[in-house]
Amino acid sequence: MSADTMVLPEGFELSKDGTYAVFTKPLETSASDERSYRLVRLKNGMEVLIIHDPKTDKAAAAMDVHVGHLTDPDNIPGLAHFLEHLLFLGTSKYPVENAYKQYLAQHNGRSNAATSIDHTTYHFEVGQEHLEGALDIFSQFFVSPLFNESCTEREMQAVDYEFKRNLQLDSRRLFQMGKHLSSRGHPYWHFSTGNLETLLEGPKREGIDARKELIQFYHKYYSSSIMKLVLLGQDSLDQLTEWALSKFGNVKDLGISPPVYRNPPLTSKELLTTAFIKPVKDIRSLELKFLLPDSTQHYTTQPHHYLSHLIGHEGKGSLLSLLKREGWANGLSAGGSSGGVGYEFFKISVDLTKEGLVHYEDIIVMIFQYILMLRQEGVKEYIWHEIASMASTAFRFKEMVPPNSYVTGLSKEMQKGFAPEWTLSGSDLIRTYQPDLIMEILQKLSIDAWCGQVVTQDTTMVPGGAFTEVEKWYNVEYHLAKVTPALMRRLETLERHPDLHLPHPNHYIPENFETGKTPTLTPLTHPILLQHTPLTRIWHKKDDTFWVPKVNLCFLLRSPIVSSLSPSNQVKTMFYLELIRDTLVEEAYSAELAGLTYGLECTMDGIEIQVEGYNDKASLLLQKVLQTMRTLSIEEGQFWRIRDQVERSHRDMGLDNPNMQATYFLRYLNEERTWTYLERLDELDQVTPETLRLFYPEMLSRLHIEGLIHGNMDRAQALKMGEMVEQILQPRPLVPSEIVSLRSLIVPEGCRAVYQRNVVDPKNLNSAVDYYLQVGAPVMTSSTITTEAFRTQRALTQIMAQIIQEPCFNQLRTVEQLGYIVQSRFQQFGCTLGIEIVVQSDRDPIHVENRIEHFLKARIGTWLQSQMTEEEFQKQVQSLIQKKLEKHKNLMEETTVYWDQITSGYYDFSEEQDDVEEMKKVTLEMMKEFFVTWISPEARGGKKVSVHIRSLKLPPPGTGAGKEGDELELREDTLEIKDMVEFKAGLELSRAPYPVVDLLRYSKL
C-alpha cells in the first residue's frame, strides 16, 4: 500500500516523509513511568509501539500474531504450535538454525514463544546495545522463514516431548477436558499442543504433507494486518522507529482480520451437564462454567471484574466464608477466561474438602443463592467505586517489570481494540460506571446456562460408580451426566441464604501515598543495621530508587526446633502455618484487594514472614499475622480439614514431574540435614490438635528475630516493626550456637555417584536426570568464606555455566531431541559450587546421562580446547557481566537481593560487583584448565552426583533393553547410591555460612 492510499485510523497522521503514520495524542501512562512512547502504523498496516527507556540495561521486542490453535485444520491438531517451534530455525538471511539463540546467548539475551487459543506471541530480550542485531534476525521470521525440511521431523519430536511433559499434569488434562466437552460447531474443541500422531503419523496415513500445510498456514495467517509489535530500548524513539520501518516494513499484508467463529463453544447440548473427571493427583474440586459475550469491548467498565470481585470474595458474608463454616471448601475463585474472539467463559471454582465433595450439589445451590443475592441487592456504586479506586491506585504506582515481560504483555494488550491513547492503561483502569451493563452480565449467570465439572478420584461420587469414558489425547477418565432433576427443582425454587451478604467497606485501603521523594545521586547499595541484640537484628533501607508508597517487611524467626531437629517438628510447623493461613483468610483477602499481601514459609532455619504492598496499612497486617501466630485457637473441624490438605499435598509431591523430583532429591543429597516429604508424611499421623497446641507456644518461646524493612518507611518506623514482633511474640533469645545455619556436603574428588529412583505414577512416560558437578576444593579460611580463591572458583563456575547453556539446549534438545525440558545452570549449595544439567526425557536415564557426558566432552571440551577464540570467550564473559550488573526493575527485586544475603548467613551485599571484578580477571587459559580439572567427564578430580528418576514404562535397568542405539551402561567407576542417608553420612561438611565482614560495618553510613 502506498503512502497516498494509506487509510489512517482516527488520531493518526502521516510522518513527514510519508513512510509511516504516527498517533498524535499522548498515551496515558502511570505517574511513575519515566519512559517515552510512540505508537506508529507502518504502510503494511502493522501497529508498532515504540518505547524509549533511557535507564534500561536490556532491550526487548515482542510480536503478537492474532491467530492460534483454534485455526488449526481439524485434521492436523497442533499445527499453529508446530509453526511456532519451526519458525525459529533459520531464515533466508540467517540460514543457520541456531543463529537467533546463539546471538542472544552471546549478548545477555533470551527468547521464548507461546501459542494460545487465538494468539501466538514471540519475544526476546538482549543487552541494550545489541538490539539492532537481534531485531534483524527476529524480523526475518516474519519475512522469509525457511521451515527447513531437515528440521521438520526433529521439531515434531520436540512438540511431542512437550506433549509428553504435560501428559500427567492435571492442569493440562483439565484444560483439554474443557475443550473435549465443548461443541464441535466451534473450534474451541481442538487439541492444542499436537504430537507425533497429529503432526506426522496421522497426516502420512492420509497422504498429507504436514510441512506443506504449515507453510500454507503461515502464508494464509501471518499477515501484518493482524500483528502487533512492541520495541523497547535505550535508543531514541526516532532510531527505534527507523528500525521498525526498515526491518518489519516488508512483512506481507494479506488484508485479513483475526479469525472469527460465529457458532458458540457451548450449546444447549453441553449445558446442564456435569463431568466427573479423574485426576492424577488427589484433587477434589467443583467448577461451574458459563458462556458469556467477550467483555473486551466493555473495557472501560469491565463488568466481569465487578462480578468476580464479589463472587470470589473471601471476607465475611462471602460464599467462601459460608462454605468454610460448613466444612465444605478450602478455597474459591471466580473469573473469566477467553473462548476465542467473541466469547468468554466465566468460571466459579471451589477447592473441596471430603465433606464438600459429598455435598457438591448443595454447593451449587449456594453458588446460585449468592448470585440471587447479588441480583436482589443490585449493583452498588460504593463497591464499584472501591474497585475502580484501587485499580487507579495500582496503575498510578505501577512498578517496572523486566523488559521482556513488559513488551510481551503489551503486544497482547494492543490486540484488544482499546482506544489508541489508552494502549497502556486499557486493562488497568475502570472508567465508567454502568450498572445496567453489569446487571445484564449478571443475569446471564442463570440456572439453565451452565455446565459443571467435579474432579475426584473417588468413584463412589460418580453416577453409576465408574468413569465410563476416556478422552482421546490425554487418556483422561471421565463420566458425563445430565444435571439431576432434583437439583434443577432446587435451583428453580431458590431462596436467599440468610448468611450471604455484600462485603463491608475495606479498612485496608491506603490513604497516605506520600514518599518524601528527594534527589539522590548515589543510592545506597545495602541496608543499614539499626538494631543488633542477642534477641533481634533489624536491617533497614529507606527506598531511594523507586519512590513508591510501598514497603517490604521481611522477618526470619530462627528456631532450632522448627525444622532441623526432626521431621516431626517440621511437619508440625508446616501444619501450624497452614492453620494460620486458614484463620487469616478473611482478613488477608481484604488486605490483598487493597494491594497488601503476606506470606509465611517454613525453612530449615525457622519461619519466614513477609508483608508487602502499600506501606500505609502494612503494620496493621503484620500485627494481625503476629497476633494470630501467638494466640492461634485450633478447632477440631478446622484441624481435620487442614490435615487433609497437608496430607494430600505431601502425597502429591511424588506425582510431580520427574525433573522436579530429580532436582528435589539432588538438593536433599547436598544438604546437611533436611527431611524428605516421605519422612514428614510418616510423622503426620502423630500430629493431633493437642500436640499442635503444645508445640507452637514452645517453638515461639525462644527465637532469634532478624528483619529487613525496605521501602517507604523511615528509621523510626522500621524499629517499631521490630518492636512489634518482640512485644507480640515475647520470646527469649537463643544462645549464639543455636543461630548457626546448616552446612552443605562436600563430594570427594573422583566420586561419580548416581542415585536411582522410580517414578511413582505408573502412567508417566517421562524419566529425568539431574546431573550435578561440584567444583573446587574447600578453600574457606577460619576468618572468611570469601577468600580470593573462592571468589575465583565462583567466577570460573559461573562463566562455565554461561558457556554451556546455549550449546547444551541446542545439542541435547534441538539436535539430539532427548526431551522437551533441557536446562543447565550454576548451582550453589551453601559454600559448595557446581554446575547442574537437567533433562526430562522418555529415554532411559542412563542413556541421557551418557549423552550429557558426551556433550561435555565432545562439544564443550573440543570447543574450549581448540575452537573458541579469545573474542568468543570475551563475548561470553561480557554477556554474564551484563547480566550481573542489570539494575533492579522494582522494589521487590532489590528487596530479594538483600533478603537472600541476610537469610544465607553471608551478608555479602557487594557479591555481584565483586563477582564482576573477579570475572574480568578470568582468561581463556584459566577456563581451559578449569574444564580439564573439574568439568570434563575424564577429569581425575571430578565430583559428580546425579539423580535418575526412572519411568516404570521403561525396561528395568541392567537388562540392556531400550531404544536402538541407546547407551545403557554407566561408567565402571560409578558409585550407585543405595541409601541416601548412608551416602550423606560418609561425606565431609563444608563450613557453615558466616558473615563475610563484621556486621557492625553496616551500622554506619
Side-chain angles (χ1 to χ4, degrees):
M1 182 183 295
S2 69
D4 295 336
T5 59
M6 186 187 293
V7 179
L8 298 179
E10 184 179 352
F12 282 84
E13 290 182 4
L14 274 179
S15 61
K16 291 180 180 179
D17 61 3
T19 56
Y20 66 95
V22 63
F23 186 68
T24 56
K25 298 178 184 178
L27 303 186
E28 184 175 38
T29 62
S30 164
S32 58
D33 192 347
E34 298 179 352
R35 292 164 292 210
S36 303
Y37 296 86
R38 177 184 291 171
L39 184 62
V40 303
R41 189 177 179 89
L42 308 186
K43 287 195 289 184
N44 59 8
M46 184 187 298
E47 284 193 359
V48 186
L49 180 63
I50 308 292
I51 307 172
H52 165 61
D53 185 346
K55 296 181 180 179
T56 190
D57 38 35
K58 279 282 190 75
M63 176 75 85
D64 186 88
V65 189
H66 206 327
V67 66
H69 67 249
L70 293 188
T71 316
D72 286 345
D74 288 354
N75 60 344
I76 315 181
L79 190 66
H81 180 221
F82 177 42
L83 193 160
E84 172 225 306
H85 273 247
L86 203 57
L87 189 69
F88 286 133
L89 302 180
T91 62
S92 297
K93 188 172 182 180
Y94 298 97
V96 177
E97 66 179 54
N98 69 330
Y100 177 52
K101 289 191 176 292
Q102 191 173 54
Y103 183 89
L104 295 177
Q106 290 175 349
H107 299 106
N108 188 23
R110 61 191 178 98
S111 67
N112 211 337
T115 305
S116 64
I117 61 174
D118 55 3
H119 291 267
T120 307
T121 312
Y122 304 87
H123 50 94
F124 73 84
E125 66 180 16
V126 70
Q128 60 88 17
E129 65 271 31
H130 302 288
L131 175 59
E132 184 184 11
L135 278 179
D136 204 52
I137 301 172
F138 182 72
S139 63
Q140 292 302 303
F141 299 141
F142 309 99
V143 176
S144 60
L146 293 177
F147 300 122
N148 280 322
E149 197 160 2
S150 60
C151 303
T152 301
E153 286 198 21
R154 200 176 63 209
E155 212 54 35
M156 287 176 178
Q157 183 71 62
V159 171
D160 191 66
Y161 275 128
E162 184 174 354
F163 166 67
K164 287 175 180 174
R165 178 199 66 172
N166 300 330
L167 200 52
Q168 294 299 100
L169 296 181
D170 281 311
S171 58
R172 298 304 295 254
R173 292 163 69 88
L174 293 174
F175 176 64
Q176 177 59 27
M177 280 303 302
K179 297 164 73 60
H180 175 68
L181 296 173
S182 65
S183 170
R184 294 303 181 268
H186 185 284
Y188 187 77
W189 66 271
H190 281 173
F191 166 46
S192 59
T193 307
N195 58 19
L196 282 179
E197 169 59 29
T198 69
L199 298 173
L200 179 63
E201 294 157 8
K204 272 186 179 178
R205 286 194 300 269
E206 297 182 25
I208 296 172
D209 185 329
R211 177 175 172 270
K212 288 183 179 178
E213 293 290 326
L214 179 147
I215 293 171
Q216 289 176 15
F217 185 100
Y218 175 87
H219 288 300
K220 183 176 181 180
Y221 293 112
Y222 271 52
S223 168
S224 59
S225 59
I226 61 170
M227 293 178 178
K228 304 293 183 184
L229 175 66
V230 183
L231 306 182
L232 182 152
Q234 210 178 85
D235 304 278
S236 68
L237 289 175
D238 287 342
Q239 179 62 80
L240 293 168
T241 303
E242 194 280 323
W243 287 340
L245 289 169
S246 62
K247 300 181 190 304
F248 296 90
N250 291 330
V251 177
K252 288 184 180 178
D253 178 8
L254 306 175
I256 63 171
S257 300
V260 176
Y261 309 96
R262 301 300 177 191
N263 295 326
L266 295 178
T267 67
S268 57
K269 178 183 176 182
E270 291 78 38
L271 297 177
L272 296 182
T273 61
T274 302
F276 297 83
I277 302 172
K278 183 180 180 180
V280 174
K281 292 186 174 182
D282 190 7
I283 297 170
R284 294 188 296 264
S285 66
L286 167 70
E287 179 183 277
L288 265 59
K289 180 162 64 178
F290 302 84
L291 182 64
L292 302 176
D294 190 346
S295 65
T296 305
Q297 60 183 315
H298 303 302
Y299 65 92
T300 62
T301 300
Q302 298 187 31
H304 295 188
H305 192 150
Y306 182 93
L307 298 180
S308 61
H309 170 82
L310 292 175
I311 297 172
H313 210 281
E314 298 179 8
K316 288 181 172 58
S318 69
L319 178 57
L320 178 61
S321 181
L322 174 60
L323 294 175
K324 290 185 75 170
R325 195 162 69 246
E326 294 287 350
W328 294 348
N330 298 310
L332 181 147
S333 63
S337 64
S338 176
V341 176
Y343 297 101
E344 188 168 337
F345 298 113
F346 189 86
K347 299 177 182 179
I348 303 170
S349 303
V350 185
D351 178 19
L352 301 173
T353 64
K354 286 182 180 178
E355 279 297 303
L357 181 61
V358 175
H359 290 275
Y360 80 90
E361 286 196 342
D362 296 316
I363 295 173
I364 292 173
V365 171
M366 287 182 174
I367 289 172
F368 281 103
Q369 285 179 311
Y370 193 87
I371 292 170
L372 175 65
M373 181 273 292
L374 292 181
R375 289 183 183 138
Q376 291 178 347
E377 290 288 339
V379 178
K380 299 297 183 182
E381 189 168 3
Y382 82 89
I383 293 176
W384 178 88
H385 179 75
E386 191 174 278
I387 297 169
S389 173
M390 282 314 305
S392 177
T393 299
F395 182 69
R396 177 183 171 191
F397 299 110
K398 190 173 185 178
E399 292 190 79
M400 303 270 279
V401 296
N404 192 35
S405 301
Y406 190 53
V407 298
T408 303
L410 282 175
S411 69
K412 298 174 186 176
E413 291 291 287
M414 290 172 69
Q415 298 281 20
K416 294 182 178 179
F418 301 145
E421 60 268 30
W422 292 340
T423 296
L424 306 174
S425 60
S427 288
D428 291 313
L429 296 179
I430 302 173
R431 306 166 192 274
T432 55
Y433 177 55
Q434 293 183 274
D436 291 346
L437 176 60
I438 296 171
M439 186 58 72
E440 179 185 332
I441 301 298
L442 179 59
Q443 295 295 346
K444 294 182 183 298
L445 305 184
S446 63
I447 63 171
D448 58 355
W450 61 279
C451 56
Q453 175 181 286
V454 176
V455 179
T456 177
Q457 293 179 341
D458 185 356
T459 55
T460 65
M461 295 306 304
V462 182
F467 299 103
T468 56
E469 298 182 70
V470 178
E471 184 273 333
K472 180 177 181 179
W473 301 112
Y474 288 80
N475 295 317
V476 183
E477 297 178 56
Y478 71 100
H479 176 80
L480 188 64
K482 282 287 185 182
V483 172
T484 63
L487 176 57
M488 286 307 300
R489 284 194 294 271
R490 293 178 67 186
L491 296 179
E492 288 164 357
T493 56
L494 275 180
E495 293 184 0
R496 181 167 173 173
H497 196 292
D499 294 334
L500 296 174
H501 59 78
L502 294 173
H504 300 303
N506 190 342
H507 62 281
Y508 278 104
I509 290 180
E511 297 167 350
N512 181 4
F513 301 110
E514 185 57 51
T515 62
K517 183 174 182 178
T518 55
T520 306
L521 294 177
T522 310
L524 278 174
T525 57
H526 60 82
I528 302 300
L529 183 60
L530 297 185
Q531 182 178 343
H532 191 14
T533 68
L535 177 61
T536 304
R537 194 182 287 145
I538 296 297
W539 298 86
H540 169 250
K541 182 174 185 284
K542 172 73 171 72
D543 174 31
D544 54 3
T545 304
F546 304 104
W547 301 106
V548 289
K550 297 179 181 181
V551 72
N552 297 320
L553 309 176
C554 309
F555 289 92
L556 171 58
L557 309 180
R558 286 193 179 89
S559 168
I561 71 169
V562 163
S563 293
S564 60
L565 195 63
S566 69
S568 174
N569 282 6
Q570 188 177 55
V571 80
K572 281 187 280 192
T573 305
M574 291 176 166
F575 205 140
Y576 165 68
L577 296 183
E578 285 296 339
L579 287 165
I580 292 170
R581 293 185 191 102
D582 189 70
T583 302
L584 285 171
V585 160
E586 293 182 357
E587 190 79 17
Y589 189 73
S590 294
E592 184 179 352
L593 291 175
L596 197 57
T597 60
Y598 84 99
L600 294 169
E601 185 180 353
C602 174
T603 74
M604 292 307 293
D605 289 320
I607 294 173
E608 284 192 28
I609 307 169
Q610 294 201 9
V611 173
E612 59 183 86
Y614 296 108
N615 59 277
D616 188 34
K617 305 290 176 70
S619 62
L620 293 179
L621 182 57
L622 176 62
Q623 181 182 46
K624 190 68 178 179
V625 172
L626 292 168
Q627 288 172 340
T628 305
M629 292 179 70
R630 174 76 178 180
T631 63
L632 179 67
S633 175
I634 303 173
E635 300 173 2
E636 288 283 328
Q638 181 193 37
F639 172 88
W640 292 108
R641 178 166 54 81
I642 298 302
R643 187 195 182 285
D644 173 63
Q645 265 184 268
V646 174
E647 181 178 358
R648 283 190 295 143
S649 68
H650 274 69
R651 291 193 188 283
D652 285 344
M653 288 181 73
L655 297 171
D656 286 340
N657 255 351
N659 67 299
M660 297 174 65
Q661 295 184 54
T663 299
Y664 178 89
F665 285 106
L666 181 78
R667 177 168 290 277
Y668 176 83
L669 287 168
N670 277 274
E671 293 180 338
E672 176 186 2
R673 185 180 297 166
T674 185
W675 317 110
T676 69
Y677 67 90
L678 295 169
E679 291 168 328
R680 294 196 301 264
L681 194 57
D682 286 342
E683 295 294 328
L684 189 58
D685 285 341
Q686 309 306 314
V687 182
T688 66
E690 186 57 30
T691 59
L692 274 183
R693 292 187 189 107
L694 294 172
F695 171 74
Y696 86 80
E698 180 190 1
M699 177 186 64
L700 296 176
S701 66
R702 296 181 63 253
L703 299 169
H704 179 265
I705 301 164
E706 184 144 30
L708 168 67
I709 291 82
H710 178 216
N712 194 34
M713 280 189 176
D714 61 26
R715 176 191 177 100
Q717 291 171 313
L719 287 170
K720 282 183 180 179
M721 296 302 102
E723 289 172 14
M724 182 190 295
V725 180
E726 289 182 351
Q727 290 171 4
I728 293 177
L729 298 183
Q730 298 181 0
R732 291 179 292 116
L734 302 177
V735 299
S737 61
E738 292 179 294
I739 304 175
V740 176
S741 295
L742 294 173
R743 298 175 287 181
S744 51
L745 298 167
I746 298 172
V747 180
E749 292 187 18
C751 176
R752 307 195 60 79
V754 174
Y755 174 64
Q756 301 189 59
R757 188 182 189 92
N758 286 337
V759 169
V760 174
D761 180 4
K763 295 183 179 179
N764 200 320
L765 303 174
N766 298 301
S767 299
V769 173
D770 195 325
Y771 182 95
Y772 174 65
L773 292 169
Q774 194 177 98
V775 305
V779 296
M780 290 67 75
T781 69
S782 59
S783 60
T784 175
I785 66 159
T786 52
T787 62
E788 183 178 345
F790 184 72
R791 286 204 182 279
T792 302
Q793 282 185 4
R794 191 165 65 195
L796 285 162
T797 309
Q798 291 180 86
I799 293 171
M800 180 59 69
Q802 163 73 21
I803 289 171
I804 286 174
Q805 189 174 35
E806 190 279 330
C808 178
F809 184 89
N810 181 62
Q811 182 65 34
L812 300 183
R813 178 182 152 170
T814 306
V815 177
E816 296 192 27
Q817 288 295 312
L818 288 180
Y820 181 73
I821 296 175
V822 175
Q823 302 164 339
S824 63
R825 51 184 171 250
F826 166 75
Q827 181 61 269
Q828 181 169 350
F829 296 110
C831 294
T832 58
L833 310 171
I835 288 175
E836 191 177 2
I837 298 175
V838 182
V839 179
Q840 180 169 290
S841 175
D842 66 354
R843 306 288 285 276
D844 193 295
I846 296 173
H847 172 72
V848 172
E849 170 149 334
N850 285 325
R851 296 314 300 165
I852 291 172
E853 296 204 333
H854 182 266
F855 157 74
L856 290 172
K857 179 182 176 182
R859 180 82 181 265
I860 300 301
T862 302
W863 188 27
L864 265 176
Q865 299 301 329
S866 59
Q867 296 175 353
M868 181 177 280
T869 65
E870 184 64 34
E871 181 184 1
E872 288 175 325
F873 175 70
Q874 287 304 323
K875 281 184 179 180
Q876 297 286 350
V877 174
Q878 288 306 311
S879 179
L880 184 56
I881 286 176
Q882 287 177 3
K883 195 177 300 180
K884 288 276 182 184
L885 295 179
E886 285 178 22
K887 301 177 186 128
H888 304 308
K889 307 300 185 297
N890 51 55
L891 187 71
M892 179 49 74
E893 272 194 20
E894 187 179 355
T895 300
T896 300
V897 170
Y898 299 147
W899 188 238
D900 284 350
Q901 283 296 336
I902 290 168
T903 55
S904 74
Y906 297 141
Y907 304 88
D908 190 2
F909 299 117
S910 63
E911 179 185 288
E912 298 292 339
Q913 187 59 53
D914 291 342
D915 278 354
V916 166
E917 294 306 312
E918 199 62 41
M919 287 172 185
K920 291 176 181 177
K921 303 174 187 176
V922 174
T923 66
L924 179 56
E925 288 305 312
M926 291 170 65
M927 209 73 242
K928 291 178 180 179
E929 179 64 26
F930 182 78
F931 177 83
V932 169
T933 305
W934 301 111
I935 307 301
S936 170
E938 298 174 342
R940 289 185 180 180
K943 307 192 296 182
K944 186 223 58 167
V945 177
S946 63
V947 176
H948 294 187
I949 304 296
R950 188 178 186 85
S951 171
L952 294 172
K953 297 287 187 182
L954 291 173
T959 62
K963 291 187 178 181
E964 185 178 350
D966 278 5
E967 304 166 34
L968 300 177
E969 295 291 333
L970 288 168
R971 290 170 47 149
E972 289 185 5
D973 57 351
T974 298
L975 168 67
E976 187 174 347
I977 301 173
K978 299 292 187 181
D979 185 315
M980 290 192 291
V981 175
E982 182 182 333
F983 173 75
K984 290 172 66 172
L987 302 182
E988 294 182 8
L989 291 170
S990 72
R991 179 193 173 102
Y994 201 77
V996 299
V997 296
D998 184 346
L999 294 185
L1000 293 178
R1001 167 184 162 185
Y1002 294 117
S1003 66
K1004 301 172 184 177
L1005 285 169

